[in-house]
Amino acid sequence: MNRLAAVIALAGLMVPGAFAQPAGASKANIVLVIHGGAGTILKSNMPAELEREYRAKLVESLRAGHAVLARGGSSLDAVEAAIHVMEDSPLFNAGKGAVFTHDGRNELDASIMDGSTRNAGAVAGVGIIRHPISAARAVMEKSKHVMLTGRGAELFATRMGLEIVDPSWFWTERRWKQLQREIESERSPAAAALHDSEREPVPPKLGTVGAVALDARGHLAAGTSTGGTTNKRWGRVGDSPIIGAGTFADDATCAVSSTGEGEYFIRWVAAYDVAALMEYGGLSVEAAANRVVHDKLKKAGGSGGVIALDAKGNFAMPFNTEGMYRGWIGPDGTPHVALYGED
Ligand code: ASP
């Protein structure tokens, strides 16, 4: 679908962030939708060079996933490839560039789900695996479990031959400064606010990455990878590695990846709720995703967004924050990216 068709589809539906694939979707109806986190993303705060970097990296991620789908690869492979690009980029809160815990460490979470089998895998609280999404996939495919945590997950990933890195691989100055600022404002909110105008722009606190894909065989997959929330303590784990909250996929309904305040996404079982509204309520993927994000989560006070894709290639990217890094690519291979509410 080209940009004009997308605009027409968007106008016709009158639903922000929702797109419909043309009727008569064929076997080659491959689609990939990605997000790079939702939060206070405002054009007025975004240096032009940083915006260019975000757009370019989202395009690179879309192209990586699309290349897999275009050569007949699986939706799981496409999701993994798209997420690798964002995990390796310091721009996003996943892999390199992940936020820091209160103790100054990076504890990463990820999950993946196969819509054709409802197999799933997840890791939580890992600090030495370069690509946590691949560790989640290894848990799904090479163990009888769904979720592994901490040291055990790291041992498993090492044994499975995944790439292991020194914890310093994940360190970035921007995120380190963000932690110092959080700690400072915890200690003295007034003093921290006074200095705010002098600071260089910091990346949004949120910034998880995720992908949902439909392959040429009509199978869906979803994946999510994150550093969690800045200044998290006591082994806090958010929604991203939790199947049904941060990630869900079932060919019968949809594939979903969430981003936002994880505690709300867990309590509202956000990703699965989109699928449940489709299955039991007969809602379209657009209506279901919008209901969860703009109605249920918003009323509860949970900020964030989701990307959701059905097996016909219809998708939605709703968020109740100022912006969400996001993008999609269809069979024609033209990448589309957006950052703010208005684009
Ligand atoms: N949902 C993630 C978490 O709570 C954070 C995010 O999406 O940015 O860990």
Side-chain angles (χ1 to χ4, degrees), residues 94-258:
K96 188 172 183 62
V99 298
F100 285 93
T101 66
H102 185 75
D103 300 329
R105 287 198 288 260
N106 303 106
E107 291 178 359
L108 313 172
D109 306 328
S111 63
I112 196 162
M113 188 161 185
D114 179 348
S116 64
T117 58
R118 280 182 76 150
N119 283 337
V123 292
V126 296
I128 58 167
I129 304 167
R130 177 169 172 182
H131 295 123
I133 194 68
S134 297
R137 187 163 178 188
V139 172
M140 174 173 79
E141 292 177 343
K142 297 178 180 154
S143 85
K144 58 181 181 184
H145 307 297
V146 169
M147 184 190 277
L148 300 179
T149 67
R151 187 84 190 109
E154 292 173 348
L155 277 174
F156 174 77
T158 307
R159 216 165 272 183
M160 291 302 120
L162 295 188
E163 189 173 347
I164 302 301
V165 291
D166 187 83
S168 62
W169 163 259
F170 301 106
W171 195 94
T172 56
E173 195 178 352
R174 283 201 315 167
R175 294 301 189 187
W176 183 252
K177 282 187 179 162
Q178 193 177 52
L179 173 67
Q180 304 315 314
R181 186 168 161 178
E182 283 276 324
I183 291 174
E184 189 185 338
S185 62
E186 246 179 19
R187 285 195 194 122
S188 167
L194 262 181
H195 292 118
D196 265 1
S197 56
E198 295 156 24
R199 292 172 211 271
E200 61 182 273
V202 289
K205 279 202 276 184
L206 309 170
T208 295
V209 307
V212 292
L214 170 66
D215 64 30
R217 280 162 298 147
H219 295 314
L220 292 169
T224 311
S225 182
T226 190
T229 48
T230 307
N231 201 22
K232 65 185 181 181
R233 299 171 95 159
W234 303 303
R236 180 265 185 192
V237 175
D239 60 314
S240 306
I242 297 181
I243 297 302
T247 301
F248 185 75
D250 185 344
D251 286 357
T253 50
C254 60
V256 182
S257 172
S258 311

Side-chain angles (χ1 to χ4, degrees), residues 328-341:
W328 63 276
I329 192 163
D332 72 358
T334 308
H336 306 266
V337 302
L339 276 59
Y340 312 111

